[in-house]
Amino acid sequence: MPGSPSRHVVTCRVRAALAATALLAGCSPSESQQPLPRGEGFDFYVLSLSWSPSYCEAEGENASRQQCSRDHAFVVHGLWPQFEKGWPEFCDSDEPGRVPEELARAFLDILPSVGLIGHQWRKHGSCTGLSQRDYLEATRAAHERVRIPDRFEKPSSRVAVEPDEVEASFVAANPGMSQEGIAVTCDGQLVREVRICLSVEMAFRSCEEVDARACRLPRAAMPAALP
């Protein structure tokens, strides 16, 4: 996770907060179908996109079977509230810790397992000031805000890439994104995640602390998605 954990004791009061505007893929408020759930008590979000084949290879027998039995490429790891320095996690909440399976299954098209959805809610969603449903809807809005470059949709073979090249591809595919607002992370010699910084209104923004922790390898591998 980007940054270093905050030393402040963070207690989040959960409520469903609906914003007056929605910036979903460039839509105006009148064009969007519903208001954007707007979090509070933090400075910005990090949308973490995981390269699923790297996760499955790195975790091996410990990887989620639900995730790794499917032909995923980039999937949502989570939507993380951040401070300019550090981040909150595992906040107090009036919402239950367990996400109902019926609710979780409605988001399996972007988050690859029910277990991951529950963990992301407890660790990160509980710190957003949102209900479970609104946190997951905000996660979907963040996912829809970002266009995955065509070359990373579902490559059929293992490739070696420069992490800066991956960043540049995302910046080119997403007007308004800058290389100061995105970080590629590595695990060993594997590209593991792309982390993108967004305001609470889902606008691209810079994030110095996140960007500073980007992968510094000259080249890293991206395993192929399942056929």
Side-chain angles (χ1 to χ4, degrees), residues 98-117:
R98 180 181 177 276
V99 176
E101 185 168 348
E102 182 179 2
L103 175 59
R105 288 193 173 280
F107 294 88
L108 284 177
D109 57 318
I110 59 170
L111 288 136
S113 74
V114 170
L116 176 64
I117 290 171

Side-chain angles (χ1 to χ4, degrees), residues 1-6 10 12 38-48 78-91 119-130 135 138-139 142 196-200 202 205 209-210:
M1 181 178 298
S4 56
S6 170
V10 181
C12 297
R38 182 185 175 110
E40 62 176 17
F42 57 97
D43 296 320
F44 64 97
Y45 286 119
V46 165
L47 174 67
S48 178
L79 184 67
W80 303 338
Q82 301 284 298
F83 301 131
E84 297 298 342
K85 299 289 185 182
W87 68 87
E89 59 183 38
F90 294 111
C91 296
H119 177 71
Q120 292 302 305
W121 161 254
R122 289 185 292 275
K123 187 172 184 179
H124 304 290
S126 63
C127 301
T128 60
L130 297 172
Y135 169 67
T139 302
I196 298 164
C197 298
L198 298 163
S199 71
V200 293
M202 301 301 168
R205 55 154 287 169
E209 191 174 62
V210 176

